[in-house]
């Protein structure tokens, strides 16, 4: 599932090519993948993209008619920009553009969606307004993390996955950040000291920035807007490596279920 770095890679790529492009036509081949919550059924045909933003794992494509296309890739979604339209399987929504290029929303397992909203409705849309701070932004601080965890009896891993606490982190980067911080995922969040919160806050930032620099993690399905894989899987320390030796100390990595999610950690390096 694409997490913050993967969605940010796509955002940066689309921000280079979409602004100024007009939507010539829109084809929906799976109705549930395209939700139009605005008055205009034909939106966004004829509209010009003005900006490409990201909030957590959401992509927001703004148009000159004050509409926002809110894209969530979920498990297997991809937003592909083809300068020359190509035949692809599992494309659910296509936007033909005025330069002959095509923006295709491809989604094998069909959990993802493109939602058309007025810009005003997007600004007040509960899934967005409830999101916690961006971990690469100024509001993600050791003091914030310390305060946010004081009443949380849940495991710190579970708290990191809570989008209302911090936006954009999923299973990969929760496990990787906790390893980098030397913190065991099962530790109750409220038991973290100020020192541990500082380490974790910084580790989250470093792990996400490193993945961004590597083009994101393509563990299974993730592809960027050009259809290419991210390279970060080579740098993963624990995610997907349960039972393998820790790259730091050689101990066997433990694999447990935590809050319904597979969790991998080093029993020696993480306390
Ligand atoms: Zn270790």
């Amino acid at each position: 599932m694409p997490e913050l770095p993967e969605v940010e890679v796509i955002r940066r790529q689309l921000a280079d090519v979409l602004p100024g492009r007009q939507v010539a036509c829109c084809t929906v081949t799976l109705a549930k993948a395209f939700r139009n919550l605005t008055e205009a059924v034909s939106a966004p045909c004829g509209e010009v993209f003005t900006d490409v933003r990201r909030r957590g794992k959401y992509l927001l494509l703004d148009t000159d008619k004050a509409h926002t296309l809110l894209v969530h890739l979920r498990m297997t979604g991809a937003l592909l920009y083809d300068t020359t339209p190509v035949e692809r399987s599992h494309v659910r929504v296509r936007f033909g553009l005025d330069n002959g290029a095509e923006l295709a929303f491809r989604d094998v397992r069909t959990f993802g969606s493109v939602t058309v909203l007025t810009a005003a409705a997007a600004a007040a849309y509960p899934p967005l307004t409830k999101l916690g701070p961006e971990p690469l932004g100024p509001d993600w601080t050791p003091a914030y993390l310390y305060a946010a965890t004081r009443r949380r009896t849940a495991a710190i891993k579970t708290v990191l996955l809570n989008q209302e606490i911090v936006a954009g982190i999923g299973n990969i980067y929760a496990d990787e950040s906790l390893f980098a911080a030397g913190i065991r995922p099962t530790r109750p969040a409220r038991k973290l000291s100020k020192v541990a919160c500082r380490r974790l806050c910084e580790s989250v930032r470093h792990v996400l920035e490193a993945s961004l620099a590597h083009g994101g993690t393509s563990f299974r399905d993730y592809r960027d807007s050009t259809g290419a894989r991210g390279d970060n899987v080579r740098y993963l320390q624990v995610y997907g490596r349960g039972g393998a030796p820790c790259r730091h100390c050689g101990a066997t990595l433990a694999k447990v279920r935590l809050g319904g999610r597979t969790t991998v950690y080093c029993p020696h390096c993480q306390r």
Side-chain angles (χ1 to χ4, degrees), residues 179 238 245-253 265-270:
F179 177 80
V238 286
C246 171
R247 296 195 205 276
H248 184 70
C249 74
T252 300
L253 296 176
Y265 66 93
C266 175
H268 179 76
C269 296
Q270 292 172 260

Side-chain angles (χ1 to χ4, degrees), residues 30 35 41 59 62 83 94 107 139 148 150 163 197 199 205 209 229 232 236 253:
L30 180 72
R35 304 174 194 156
V41 177
L59 277 167
D62 298 323
T83 49
R94 286 174 202 281
D107 192 10
D139 297 334
R150 285 316 87 190
Q163 301 299 297
C197 284
R199 278 208 316 274
R205 202 181 288 266
E209 282 174 348
R229 299 173 65 91
N232 194 59
L236 296 178
L253 296 176

